[in-house]
Amino acid sequence: MAASNKWLMSSFAYYLDFFTVPLLFVGALLLGPVLLWQIAAGVLIWSFVEYAMHRFLFHALYRREHWTHHLDVLALIGISSWKTTATFIVLLVLFQVLNLTSLIAGVMLGYLAYISLHYVMHRPQHPLYRLMPGLVSNHDLHHQRGVEKNFGVSSPLWDHVFGTYVRVRNDALTEGVKS
């Protein structure tokens, strides 16, 4: 499959979310009230959105754009932080009106976990890389050509629910081959 550079972006546009999302998260908490059950529900909602976007958008509708990431995992490929930041600002205003700021805070927290974990997963030299061997193995397997499984990056929960989870065989690991 031919790759597309349509989603290639500058370092600034790529890394902006690592600064804006924590600020918006704190802003949501300051707008209150802080309800832990809503934060937990927001993280769960994000994990489903992450799974659905990865499976049904990135591996279907925007397959060529996403394929660039599979070919070069360090390329700055993705949805521009300008768009995600703007989306979170609009959602924060809407959710404040609905008195659900803790829920959107949880969604933002889930998204921040996703972008952070995904960043580390593709950088074995990162100090946190060795702390998440299961997630790394799941994602490495997802990147194998022809494997349309393991769409959850920050959690395999929805892959288990929808039957798209596959694990690396232990005997294949000892041989250095994934199946």
Side-chain angles (χ1 to χ4, degrees):
M1 170 181 296
S4 165
N5 287 329
K6 185 177 179 181
W7 284 359
L8 191 60
M9 59 185 126
S10 70
S11 294
F12 184 77
Y14 183 84
Y15 291 108
L16 184 64
D17 279 347
F18 290 96
F19 299 99
T20 59
V21 175
L23 292 174
L24 290 169
F25 173 76
V26 169
L29 295 180
L30 291 174
L31 291 172
V34 176
L35 302 171
L36 295 179
W37 73 267
Q38 281 188 10
I39 293 172
V43 170
L44 185 64
I45 289 167
W46 167 257
S47 70
F48 176 75
V49 169
E50 171 195 320
Y51 171 85
M53 285 178 56
H54 195 179
R55 182 176 179 186
F56 299 111
L57 291 180
F58 298 165
H59 279 264
L61 189 59
Y62 298 108
R63 189 169 183 79
R64 287 190 63 218
E65 292 80 3
H66 183 67
W67 187 246
T68 304
H69 166 66
H70 280 252
L71 294 175
D72 181 2
V73 296
L74 297 180
L76 303 179
I77 299 294
I79 297 170
S80 173
S81 295
W82 294 108
K83 293 176 183 176
T84 55
T85 297
T87 299
F88 278 133
I89 289 170
V90 169
L91 289 174
L92 180 56
V93 170
L94 175 63
F95 279 57
Q96 182 188 17
V97 169
L98 299 172
N99 202 28
L100 296 171
T101 54
S102 289
L103 186 67
I104 194 62
V107 171
M108 287 188 265
L109 185 61
Y111 176 72
L112 184 60
Y114 158 73
I115 62 173
S116 300
L117 290 169
H118 191 248
Y119 178 85
V120 171
M121 284 177 187
H122 291 300
R123 289 159 179 83
Q125 72 283 5
H126 195 284
L128 298 177
Y129 180 87
R130 63 183 179 83
L131 299 177
M132 48 188 203
L135 287 176
V136 169
S137 293
N138 290 343
H139 195 63
D140 283 350
L141 184 57
H142 168 78
H143 272 264
Q144 295 289 317
R145 179 172 236 136
V147 177
E148 293 291 320
K149 303 284 185 179
N150 296 359
F151 298 102
V153 174
S154 59
S155 167
L157 171 65
W158 300 106
D159 284 302
H160 286 289
V161 170
F162 295 112
T164 55
Y165 179 77
V166 64
R167 76 172 358 157
V168 177
R169 288 193 345 231
N170 286 336
D171 59 334
L173 279 177
T174 58
E175 297 169 15
V177 178
K178 295 178 182 176
S179 61

